[in-house]
Amino acid sequence: MEKKRILSGIQPSGISTLGNYVGALRNWVKLQVDDRSCFYCVANMHAITVRQNPDELRSRTLDTAAILLACGVDPNRSALFVQSEVHEHAELSWVLNCYTYLGELNRMTQFKDKSSKHSDNINAGLLTYPVLMAADILLYRAHYVPVGEDQKQHLEIARDIAERFNKVYGDVFVIPEPLVPKVGGRIMSLQDPTKKMSKSDPNPASYITVTDEPSAIMKKFKRAVTDSEGRIAYNENQPGVANLLSIYSTFTGMTIEESLAHFDGMGYGTLKTAVAEAVIDGLALVREEFRRIRDDKAYLREVLSRGREQAAEVAARTIADVYGRIGLGAFFD
């Protein structure tokens, strides 16, 4: 039986936050089962829509690969590779640009958001970013793509492009389906719990990274915003407390109801300390493994080289098929 393929990528924008870990990376690890073939990439080509320092980008790319391995991505079960090292991503992206409508791209929420944040650098890459993402997915004929709520629009345009191409040239691409995690909801900012936790937040107290030291984690949680109601409850009127309960439940395996019962009659200080301790315990191995892997350049090089070869083998077959269908290859067959 053919294994179902999964494709996902993560930008090398710095050390992953608690939100990245809970919402994506832990689920990537769980997807590594025998009847699936996983392709995980460090999406460094996507990063250059914003101006980058070359040395920092290279370093963050390796940091991100090491984080994925530390979180449990197994190079013996998944292909872990750097996007820019498989040139077919760029090649297919150009082809798919020619099968994507300008109106579709203009409607993309991320283009509007990034254009407002980087008004001095509204480049074409910001507009065609979803096409490169579609190429990432379709290049591996992925059956499933793990997505969060903020990525569904990108998967929809990838499906539209694939269906449009297939209608003209036959069944070239697999139409990818979303894989929405059943657990691990959105982790919110510790300083503004109405916003998603993000490492781009200028206030470092608002987020936890997976490599933060225990003392830093404890300090950040103790400074987490709650409210003046003074009772531990899970509702939309107390977003700070609800966020802390969600994190606690995620790292202890308890339900929200069980967590509420556990903290019944206790104060916010007790809650914050307990959440911090649960996160510290949950991230201890990740932090240690990251340091070990990041310092072992030979191992990291070997893993990424092997992953590149696995990815390139699949990518080469796809691009050869695409080129042949549209008249860019097989001139003398």
Side-chain angles (χ1 to χ4, degrees), residues 224-284:
V225 169
T226 49
D227 51 61
S228 59
E229 293 199 22
R231 64 188 183 92
I232 297 176
Y234 190 83
N235 58 65
E236 61 183 17
N237 296 321
Q238 294 178 265
V241 176
N243 188 39
L244 293 174
L245 286 167
S246 293
I247 296 170
Y248 184 79
S249 297
T250 296
F251 278 85
T252 62
M254 296 169 67
T255 64
I256 294 295
E257 291 73 20
E258 289 170 338
S259 297
L260 284 169
H262 177 75
F263 291 109
D264 185 38
M266 299 183 188
Y268 291 164
T270 301
L271 172 64
K272 292 179 180 181
T273 298
V275 176
E277 289 173 346
V279 171
I280 289 168
D281 288 345
L283 294 180

Side-chain angles (χ1 to χ4, degrees), residues 3-25:
K3 289 186 176 183
K4 298 293 184 181
R5 285 185 188 151
I6 293 173
L7 182 284
S8 197
I10 182 171
Q11 283 198 48
S13 53
I15 299 297
S16 298
T17 68
L18 196 65
N20 302 136
Y21 177 68
V22 170
L25 304 187

Side-chain angles (χ1 to χ4, degrees), residues 52-94:
Q52 301 284 338
N53 176 291
D55 291 335
E56 289 180 2
L57 179 57
R58 279 187 282 267
S59 179
R60 288 200 305 270
T61 297
L62 295 178
D63 285 346
T64 303
I67 283 290
L68 294 177
L69 292 168
C71 287
V73 169
D74 184 351
N76 294 315
R77 306 187 74 179
S78 303
L80 175 61
F81 62 99
V82 176
Q83 180 189 30
S84 64
E85 294 199 320
V86 181
H87 59 80
E88 287 86 357
H89 284 260
E91 293 180 45
L92 184 58
S93 181
W94 170 246

